[in-house]
Amino acid sequence: MKEKAITAVVSTAIIIRLSEFLQTHTLFEGIGGGNDKVNAFLNLAVMLIASILQWLLLDGTFPSLIAASVTSIGGPLAELPFVASGCWEYIPTSADYLPLSSLPDWADSLSRQLLGDGYRGLALSSITGPCYFAVTMDAIALGRWFDTNKEE
């Protein structure tokens, strides 16, 4: 268990550094004619592959896949209040995911109260989700290792 926990921490750090590299470098410049949407999609694909490989290496169980997948969706959405309040922001070129741009009208009032009038323009980076996926795998591996240490 200790080896898997160490592998989880190291692989998560590598995945997070990979996301930084992909956000600050144009890796797929020749593909898609320099289209930013194509580049964002390919960056997301690379991150998803890295995260799924981490899951296969560390765990491979269906419950951990579900937990990491749910976290990869909910985690970035939980960042929206912090982005709205100015606590942090994404590099403008990496802010390619507008999760609230097409909310139904019934959610408009609540969204304005929670996030302000400009909530439809709040943007996240699309590759944030796979980072949350990796961190979840990290937490699962560390949790299992801590549980085995309790039993000893």
Side-chain angles (χ1 to χ4, degrees):
M1 287 292 163
K2 180 180 179 181
E3 293 79 18
K4 279 196 175 187
I6 292 169
T7 303
V9 171
V10 169
S11 61
T12 297
I14 290 169
I15 288 170
I16 290 171
R17 295 297 293 183
L18 175 62
S19 75
E20 177 192 12
F21 178 81
L22 291 172
Q23 291 299 351
T24 57
H25 296 80
T26 306
L27 196 59
F28 303 105
E29 193 170 345
I31 300 173
N35 185 327
D36 287 340
K37 288 187 179 190
V38 171
N39 196 49
F41 174 79
L42 292 172
N43 285 346
L44 178 60
V46 167
M47 290 296 295
L48 286 171
I49 290 167
S51 297
I52 294 297
L53 286 174
Q54 182 195 40
W55 169 73
L56 287 170
L57 175 70
L58 293 175
D59 193 298
T61 65
F62 187 68
S64 67
L65 176 64
I66 295 298
S69 296
V70 168
T71 304
S72 72
I73 295 167
L77 294 177
E79 291 184 9
L80 287 173
F82 299 103
V83 173
S85 64
C87 292
W88 71 73
E89 59 185 44
Y90 285 93
I91 301 168
T93 56
S94 70
D96 58 358
Y97 171 50
L98 300 155
L100 304 179
S101 62
S102 59
L103 273 183
D105 289 336
W106 60 265
D108 186 64
S109 177
L110 177 62
S111 298
R112 283 184 198 282
Q113 288 177 349
L114 292 174
L115 303 171
D117 287 333
Y119 76 90
R120 290 188 191 268
L122 292 177
L124 302 171
S125 172
S126 59
I127 65 174
T128 304
C131 291
Y132 274 94
F133 188 102
V135 169
T136 303
M137 294 309 307
D138 192 16
I140 290 169
L142 287 168
R144 288 182 178 156
W145 179 43
F146 295 152
D147 279 347
T148 61
N149 286 340
K150 255 196 263 185
E151 295 169 3
E152 293 176 358

